[in-house]
Amino acid sequence: MDRPSALQRIKKLRKLIAYHNERYYQLDDPEISDAEYDRLMTELMELEQMWGEESGESTDSPTRTVGAEPLKKFETYPHITPMLSLSNALSERDILEFVRRVSSQLEPEKPTYVLEPKIDGVAVNLMYEEGVFTRGLTRGDGLIGENISRNLKTISSIPMTLPGPPAASDSNIVEVRGEVFLHIEDFKLLNRKKASEGKPLFANPRNAAAGSIRQLDSRVSAERPLAINCYAVSGIDGPGFESQWEILQRLREWGFPVNPLIRRVETVDECVAFFRELEATRKEIPYEIDGMVIKIDSLAQQRRLGALSRSPRWAIAAKFAPAQATTVIESIDIQVGRTGVLTPVARMKPVSLGGVTISHATLHNMAEIEKKDILVGDTVLIQRAGDVIPQVVKSISSKRTGNERPFSMPERCPSCGSPVYKNEGEAAHRCINMTCPAQTLERIVHFVSRGAMDIDGIGEKLVRRLLEAELARGPADLYYLTFEDLLGLERMAEKSARNIISAIENSKRPPLSKFIYALGIRHVGEDTAAILADYVDDINELAVLPRERLCEVRGIGPVVAENVTEFFAETSNRETIDRLLAAGVRPQKEQRTAASSLAGTTFVFTGALNRVTRNDAKKMVESLGASASSAVSKSTDYVIVGKDPGSKFQKAQELGIPTLNEDEFLAMITGENE
Ligand SMILES: [Zn+2]
């Protein structure tokens, strides 16, 4: 894939995933399976990784905003009052600017300010109905959050009832907002425990708090000493409160933990002084703070200032400068990821940064190393900004002694010794060997998965056990497993072993397209595999097809062609395929499939449709791997002509493009779907 089409694809995927997120989370009416969803997500993550910063501002990418899988199982509810997020002040000048702006808008009144440390945790919303805690939600998108009530109940400092009914609104629902966090000491203990259990560590207290509060099993949350600070109330009407300061006092009276460092001040100088004080003393605070929140104290003044769409005008989050330090890169190692990507990792002289010892940081890829002008032995500036993992900002070339040496990516995979490939226009170097030890797990799991060889009863767990027992080094080994091999595994019942053997046996005549997909050739998804399977008679024909011939196949671009030829050029992959065939695997040439015959074609609609909406028609087209375009051109394949067609119909006739009426179109599309 070249750069423009990759960036376009990223854009499209982000949109698509956002759409499906909405269907899933907010409408509770998903349109695609979890597996399909995961495929979109994986593709996006890979593209973003490959194109890095070029893929644009990615903080709002669904790969960042949507959490791990189990989150899907939390119920979601709307917040009664939206949870706004604060605009950021990134320097003292921004603070001055904020104060200047609000002061001028409030003239002639003089505002007072409430200053609160900004804890780096997870924002939550606690709902009390008739004074009783009924529900707790994560912030979610600000409008709708996940129901984490059971986990919040494990935090003993959250009162379950409010003493004496507050002056509540008609609904009698009061919302209390707070930040859930972990103390640094508790975070360290938790990581020490995880380390002793051989489990992956949390990157920082914020991630640990987020991971703990979003546990599906509330017993796990209960074991984590989560803390909370509360700072806002909504749903209280009229004379209830007049100021933010009063709210904080009342929250304290009601039994909510309120940060002891809060302060009320009257001048901008005091705001800046407290900001500096917090920044200077943050290391002594037993939890992580990443800045200070400034709020206009008077609620009447807050109302006058109002809010922008997602953030109030009466408050701002002033962030501390990211923690930075310098250290020396001692070496650059290569990690081979589960998907074969080679990632350079800087091993550095350990240095303390924001209270954490840093000794390594990913350098992402060769292009990144070149861009940052990094040599082995260089003194570099590193930073941990907010909650992100440490990153190398740049090298400090003035500190060079002449002993530094340039780094280059290895020509062979450090895990298996196979040649390393890099696609033109892509940043990543990869190993494409099907039997590369670093990738075996992923390769076999993909190979047996439903869209691929669809071998029942073999999942990731079993694959792990096979690897541990050294019974498999690659997908082909599955077909050489014996009943006795399986019985030799711990906790393997005779019946399961027999079932697995027969499932493997039954998978020996896969459709050719599934077999091709199962090989895990980069950029060859199910649709592309179907196109390839359609074009060739058997796998051996595909294996020797020159790149130029592949490029001529409709729906196959130069990148896919390159990846396919590279894959089959790799001797170890040919060996794997030979071993599969030798074991009796016989991929079956299929009839033309839906995906293959319309995939890659372009439709244009003109005129009104009767039986389906234009939108549904487009979706049907897209579901077959084809696309709908708005203008007729030489590359249009079909023009669908409804009632009262426009000029597109004429254009189609001029260009000699086939036209179909609605019935013909639906017959073709639904026929394809069967
Ligand atoms: Zn390898």
Side-chain angles (χ1 to χ4, degrees), residues 449-579:
S449 68
R450 183 151 301 163
M453 297 293 278
D454 193 11
I455 307 183
D456 259 353
I458 303 189
E460 182 167 334
K461 260 193 196 151
L462 180 66
V463 177
R464 278 184 197 281
R465 291 165 70 190
L466 292 172
L467 295 181
E468 276 162 23
E470 295 179 2
L471 287 172
R473 291 189 306 121
D477 294 328
L478 296 178
Y479 292 91
Y480 294 85
L481 286 175
T482 63
F483 178 66
E484 287 72 28
D485 285 340
L486 289 174
L487 262 195
L489 293 173
E490 257 178 74
R491 305 183 307 280
M492 175 62 75
E494 228 171 88
K495 181 154 180 260
S496 323
R498 212 173 339 245
N499 286 344
I500 292 165
I501 292 289
S502 83
I504 294 173
E505 195 58 35
N506 289 338
S507 73
K508 282 185 173 174
R509 297 189 157 262
L512 179 58
S513 61
K514 298 206 164 204
F515 182 77
I516 295 172
Y517 174 64
L519 297 176
I521 305 169
R522 190 156 163 73
H523 292 310
V524 177
E526 284 174 274
D527 292 346
T528 307
I531 295 172
L532 293 171
D534 208 33
Y535 188 73
V536 297
D537 282 326
D538 57 44
I539 192 70
N540 289 322
E541 187 187 339
L542 180 63
V544 297
L545 216 52
R547 186 184 302 193
E548 307 75 57
R549 284 271 307 284
L550 277 165
C551 283
E552 288 165 10
V553 182
R554 162 165 249 158
I556 302 295
V559 174
V560 169
E562 185 184 358
N563 279 285
V564 171
T565 40
E566 271 173 1
F567 179 88
F568 288 108
E570 176 59 47
T571 327
S572 55
N573 292 340
R574 292 295 288 274
E575 281 168 11
T576 296
I577 291 168
D578 289 345
R579 289 193 66 221

Side-chain angles (χ1 to χ4, degrees), residues 596-610:
S596 64
S597 65
L598 284 182
T601 58
T602 309
F603 286 72
V604 172
F605 294 88
T606 176
L609 298 178
N610 258 333

